[in-house]
Amino acid sequence: MSSSYCQPARRQLLRMAAALPVSGMLATLGALPRTALAANFPDRPVKFIVPFGAGGNVDGVGRLLGAAMGPALGQPVVVDNRAGAGGTLGAGVVAQGPADGLTLLVGSNGPLTINPFVQAKMPYDPLKDLAPIALVGFVPHVLIAANNFPAKNLQELIALSKKQDVACSSSGIGSATQLTLERFKAQAGARITHVPYRGGSSLVPDLLSGTVPLASMEFSTALPLHKAGKARILAVAGAQRSPLAPDLPTFIDAGVAGFTAQSFVGLLAPARTPADILRKLEATAVASIGTPEMAERLKGLGLQVASPKERTAAGFGEFLRTDYERSREAVKLAGIEPE
């Protein structure tokens, strides 16, 4: 085809493009297939924002998942700890950040399903501004008693609480473990006074000395104390008995029907992230979580791997919505006012 023939056609195309309003051009570009974008993703290192300090369960899970996903994605995954405001600071960085799939959140109860009800000003809506990718795993909550506490099981605790004052501690007002206690009290009809501590580490010595008679805490923290004979776990709030301690009854075993409560860890992206990139991240995360090696390493942190359904984006989304409403109700039961 001669260049003289092509020139008028080129000029016509340029005139048509110039005549299009900018909004129309953007709409046309947005409608183009984006498979090439996902095929080339990621072209740079991926960052996992952990909204807490190094050394905890959320940080540990983030590092395990990053190490597993990096080779599959063909880029290194770097963990960036952004602690502050109970996880809200780091989660806000992701929710308000670029939606390119390169900056993701390793999220948990606080910034995702609790803080919206206990913090007066939230910079993001976890259900609208973040897209679930995969639930990694969770740690059930437990009620654990000092060795000198008279109740030996959950039913004895409930009966005792109706006869005398019983105090139970947690890692703080509005913590996931306090909300578990409030839900248990409401469902079982137990009369228990909450005594908040500033973090779980300050609570443990007082539990071992008997100053604190009872505590609501994570299974991963409580199990070593139980195994060492320093305190006694009364019940575990898992759907099934933990393979780490199959002799310990669940709340359901003890007669509190359907009662489950846990701290969870999952991976999320900004909600505006292109769907094809989200699908690629989901497939990579699900494959990484589903290996026996990952299950064993999570077990070492005291976590139970999420079910195949919960690992998917849809399953994690459903899990989040359920836990969100559960937290809303527990905060009301506790009478906590946002601050």
Side-chain angles (χ1 to χ4, degrees), residues 187-225:
Q187 185 169 340
R191 294 201 291 268
I192 298 174
T193 301
H194 176 235
V195 180
Y197 271 64
R198 296 183 66 85
S201 58
S202 59
L203 161 61
V204 171
D206 285 353
L207 176 69
L208 301 187
S209 69
T211 305
V212 168
L214 188 68
S216 175
M217 66 172 57
E218 292 184 345
F219 180 69
S220 54
T221 303
L223 186 59
L225 307 178

Side-chain angles (χ1 to χ4, degrees), residues 108-119 122 126-127 141 173-184 259-264 318-338:
S108 61
N109 305 54
L112 296 176
T113 62
I114 295 177
N115 293 356
F117 306 110
V118 300
Q119 294 185 5
M122 287 285 290
L127 298 185
H141 294 169
I173 293 175
S175 65
T177 48
Q178 187 211 350
L179 299 190
T180 293
L181 173 63
E182 300 299 339
R183 289 178 49 232
F184 165 68
F259 190 90
T260 62
Q262 62 277 312
S263 297
F264 64 85
E318 181 181 337
F319 180 95
L320 280 175
R321 290 187 293 273
T322 299
D323 203 73
Y324 188 88
E325 293 304 323
R326 184 181 286 173
S327 294
R328 185 201 301 273
E329 182 60 30
V331 167
K332 287 182 181 178
L333 289 170
I336 299 172
E337 292 295 331

Side-chain angles (χ1 to χ4, degrees), residues 136-155:
V136 182
F138 50 87
V139 183
H141 294 169
V142 306
L143 281 178
I144 184 169
N147 282 332
N148 62 358
F149 188 63
K152 305 303 180 185
N153 56 54
L154 210 59
Q155 287 302 324

